Amino acid sequence: MLRVGMIGWRGMVGSVLLHRMREEGDFSGIETIFFSTSNAGGKGPKEATDGGVLHDARDVNKLGCCDVLLSCQGGEYTTEICGPLRGSGWKGYWIDAASALRMSDDTVIILDPVNADVIQNALVRGVRNFTGGNCTVSLMLMAVSGLFKAGLVEWMTTMTYQAASGAGAAKMLELVKQMEYLTEPAKAHPSENALEIDRVVIQAQRDSSLPTKEIGVPLAGSLLPWIDRDMPGGQTREEWKGMAETNKILGMEPPVPVDGICVRVGTMRCHGQALCIKLTEDVSLGHIEQIIAESNPWVRVIPNDKESTLRCLTPTAVSGTLNVPIGRLHKLQLGPEFLAAFTVGDQLLWGAAEPLRRMLRILREHLGQRL
Ligand code: NAP
């Protein structure tokens, strides 16, 4: 029986992954060992087949007993552990949510509704590292990969609106604490005067007692136009991933330029992004909608009207679902080759956990055929 080790299952991505694996019956037919970086010896989830106990996620020998390791622990952990594990002679499959290995030549970025052929070829070639893509990149490709594949994208800008949960469980919890902190003064001094309420809320946002240990600054009622570390040329690393990962996932040569500004907003879950696509030719909106709608079973083309947009194209509507709606589709006043679109997706599902879960399935089928 295939032995699968899970690391980082308690975090944001990991807990959504566990939930989805339970929903889809993915635990049947495998042996699952759970690891922890903070609670070795503690009790694992009910699926733990190794005496139900949590193992030390830094125990290379124990990790090396697994045929597959599924990590949602983060890039620092991957950097610390994956190299030494491979160095010890481990030949298993490493499936990861983190970015640490994504751009390595021996790693494939997995998003099977978009690049199933790349994944299958890699398995046949003996590739053993598979990582999920950056969440906004994966969600963008779930929405518009059909246009890339049809050769219709000359270049694209993506302006993102990224949820707090995209930065992990602790940040999401802190956002809620910040929300509570901001609304308390208004509750204590109720007023129908909007300016008065605005004044007390801003005061609370600037108060040194506002919880900011995790996020560093106020996010509730605000936004942060900087995600991840800086890169040469004025981009952030989150912005740099847009072009690098899109082209790697699709195997585009020469690469298609993709760039924009990535912004963290006070949304709980689901990333939104506004796209501006320079088309390679003037194609009708009807044809564009058809290409998008036919590209995979999860994308939903939302009519460009107020009622449909506000009902279907918001984080509140999409959260917890596998649907990837795309709407506001129209030609910009810049010219007939400039397409505008807005798309929203649950970054914990298609942006993180779902490609990993499906990769385990793909791998099991691949190994089943060969064993
Ligand atoms: P996370 O929520 O911070 O969890 C990572 C680890 O932090 C957990 O496995 C847990 O490790 C520890 N942890 C510390 N405090 C915790 C708390 N209060 N609740 C739960 N766990 C806590 O990170 P994540 O967002 O899942 O991201 C994991 C990786 O996936 C990262 O590399 C990230 O870049 C990538 N990713 C994330 C998203 C997203 O939307 N969040 C999307 C795509 C990719 P122990 O149990 O060992 O202590």
Side-chain angles (χ1 to χ4, degrees):
M1 198 180 275
L2 199 71
R3 187 178 292 161
V4 179
M6 297 196 65
I7 311 116
W9 50 275
R10 183 173 80 95
M12 233 34 252
V13 175
S15 38
V16 171
L17 178 64
L18 271 195
H19 178 73
R20 284 291 296 139
M21 287 179 71
R22 284 173 185 148
E23 269 184 349
E24 298 291 337
D26 290 338
F27 285 107
S28 79
I30 58 172
E31 191 182 326
T32 320
I33 298 178
F34 287 83
F35 292 86
S36 170
T37 61
S38 60
N39 190 26
K43 194 168 158 37
K46 62 179 188 313
E47 288 81 8
T49 47
D50 195 26
V53 73
L54 292 175
H55 294 277
D56 180 359
R58 292 191 171 83
D59 181 345
V60 171
N61 290 332
K62 189 70 191 174
L63 292 165
C65 296
C66 298
D67 304 302
V68 182
L69 288 169
L70 239 167
S71 175
C72 306
Q73 186 62 31
E76 280 179 25
Y77 173 81
T78 301
T79 306
E80 179 191 337
I81 296 297
C82 191
L85 187 61
R86 290 287 184 212
S88 74
W90 184 68
K91 297 267 188 306
Y93 292 89
W94 180 277
I95 304 177
D96 201 337
S99 64
L101 301 176
R102 275 183 208 147
M103 298 313 291
S104 309
D105 289 343
D106 63 355
T107 301
V108 164
I109 306 181
I110 47 177
L111 186 63
D112 67 278
V114 171
N115 69 349
D117 51 337
V118 175
I119 296 170
Q120 290 296 348
N121 288 342
L123 284 170
V124 172
R125 279 188 288 119
V127 171
R128 307 238 153 186
N129 291 340
F130 295 88
T131 69
N134 169 263
C135 40
T136 48
V137 173
S138 295
L139 292 171
M140 177 275 288
L141 285 176
M142 287 298 289
V144 297
S145 63
L147 299 180
F148 278 93
K149 288 181 179 178
L152 284 172
V153 184
E154 186 176 318
W155 53 254
M156 181 176 75
T157 66
T158 60
M159 302 298 177
T160 72
Y161 305 75
Q162 299 183 219
S165 54
K171 309 255 186 331
M172 191 191 196
L173 293 172
E174 186 167 274
L175 173 64
V176 176
K177 284 192 194 137
Q178 288 190 356
M179 288 173 176
E180 283 169 4
Y181 193 87
L182 296 194
T183 50
E184 267 165 20
K187 275 191 213 144
H189 307 285
S191 167
E192 288 301 312
N193 183 325
L195 266 186
E196 175 58 17
I197 292 295
D198 180 49
R199 194 185 59 74
V200 296
V201 169
I202 289 182
Q203 209 169 27
Q205 279 179 313
R206 293 175 181 164
D207 189 322
S208 58
S209 302
L210 180 83
T212 56
K213 186 171 147 275
E214 291 294 332
I215 303 169
V217 287
L219 175 60
S222 188
L223 59 81
L224 313 173
W226 190 283
I227 300 177
D228 209 339
R229 60 181 161 81
D230 58 344
M231 296 286 284
Q235 283 176 312
T236 63
R237 190 157 174 271
E238 186 78 0
E239 290 152 7
W240 171 84
K241 288 174 185 170
M243 180 160 167
E245 293 191 20
T246 297
N247 284 287
K248 181 164 180 179
I249 291 171
L250 293 170
M252 304 289 274
E253 198 54 59
V256 173
V258 177
D259 207 346
I261 302 267
C262 292
V263 181
R264 181 82 62 206
V265 292
T267 311
M268 293 291 280
R269 184 166 164 170
C270 284
H271 293 346
Q273 44 195 320
L275 311 179
C276 168
I277 298 176
K278 169 70 170 45
L279 298 165
T280 50
E281 55 186 288
D282 177 7
V283 190
S284 75
L285 265 182
H287 188 45
I288 287 168
E289 289 179 358
Q290 188 188 356
I291 292 174
I292 291 174
E294 289 173 358
S295 59
N296 66 62
W298 296 275
V299 67
R300 301 275 179 275
V301 174
I302 307 301
N304 186 21
D305 63 63
K306 182 176 176 182
E307 198 275 326
S308 308
T309 301
L310 298 185
R311 186 164 46 85
C312 308
L313 201 56
T314 65
T316 308
V318 175
S319 196
T321 78
L322 287 163
N323 294 341
V324 181
I326 175 166
R328 300 305 328 278
L329 282 155
H330 63 283
K331 298 288 183 78
L332 288 162
Q333 293 299 311
L334 306 175
E337 291 163 1
F338 291 85
L339 176 72
F342 192 86
T343 178
V344 183
D346 190 323
Q347 94 287 349
L348 289 164
L349 287 166
W350 276 119
E354 199 62 9
L356 305 192
R357 185 192 78 70
R358 291 168 66 92
M359 184 63 218
L360 183 59
R361 283 261 163 186
I362 293 168
L363 185 57
R364 287 173 70 177
E365 278 167 31
H366 171 76
L367 295 173
Q369 281 161 13
R370 283 214 333 222
L371 289 175

